[in-house]
Amino acid sequence: MRDLVRRNTIKCSHSWFYKSSLAFVNGMTASTSPSSRRPPAGVRRQARGRARIESILDATEQLVAEVGYDEMSTNEVARRAGISPGSLYQYFGNKADLLAGLLDRCTQQFDDLWDDQLTPSAATLPLEELVDQVLEAVVAFKAERPA
């Protein structure tokens, strides 16, 4: 039974507010949720939290590119992300967690790049053209990501 529970889901109280907001955040539908209501505050905070995580990872990526992982500090990451160090620790426990988050994001983006490049229509291209197209995309991917 435990294997059937979605990973990274939020668990909370059984009130209508929590049921509907948690269903929305976890990508499910709540049968008791009226569609005419705006998303609950918790959902808006989720979007804000995701944006904050992205800004923290952006700052981490910049610092890794500029000074390297060993010289990077969580205080400098927080400063560049425009948040307090305490706020940073709400999302990432330490420097290693920042690197792991950056690696996860980069891996997902690289997977997306492959999905975009290796389409059924790409299979019809001459090999030389396909290789050129994929290499250009990979070079552009790396140029956009300094770390």
Side-chain angles (χ1 to χ4, degrees):
M1 178 73 167
R2 191 171 267 188
D3 295 333
L4 298 176
V5 177
R6 282 183 55 171
R7 289 182 53 195
N8 300 326
T9 58
I10 301 170
K11 296 178 180 141
C12 210
S13 159
H14 293 326
S15 72
W16 175 85
F17 173 80
Y18 287 112
K19 280 184 179 179
S20 60
S21 63
L22 293 176
F24 184 83
V25 168
N26 293 319
M28 299 175 243
T29 58
S31 58
T32 58
S33 161
S35 60
S36 61
R37 291 186 182 243
R38 68 179 206 192
V43 173
R44 291 191 303 275
R45 281 192 294 269
Q46 285 289 327
R48 192 171 60 226
R50 285 190 297 272
R52 180 160 292 161
I53 287 170
E54 287 302 311
S55 71
I56 292 169
L57 292 176
D58 289 343
T60 301
E61 187 172 20
Q62 291 168 1
L63 278 167
V64 168
E66 290 173 19
V67 300
Y69 175 75
D70 291 335
E71 298 299 317
M72 177 187 80
S73 74
T74 55
N75 287 339
E76 182 61 19
V77 170
R79 189 187 70 72
R80 287 211 186 177
I83 60 173
S84 70
S87 293
L88 178 122
Y89 289 116
Q90 291 177 350
Y91 298 97
F92 298 95
N94 55 36
K95 198 161 92 164
D97 289 346
L98 285 168
L99 186 63
L102 188 58
L103 181 60
D104 287 345
R105 181 174 79 168
C106 188
T107 300
Q108 180 59 53
Q109 291 171 340
F110 203 63
D111 287 347
D112 293 344
L113 173 113
W114 285 115
D115 290 343
D116 292 344
Q117 293 301 311
L118 302 178
T119 61
S121 63
T124 63
L125 295 173
L127 182 60
E128 191 173 302
E129 189 176 332
L130 176 62
V131 169
D132 286 345
Q133 177 180 313
V134 170
L135 284 177
E136 285 177 20
V138 170
V139 168
F141 178 87
K142 177 56 182 148
E144 294 168 4
R145 290 156 191 83

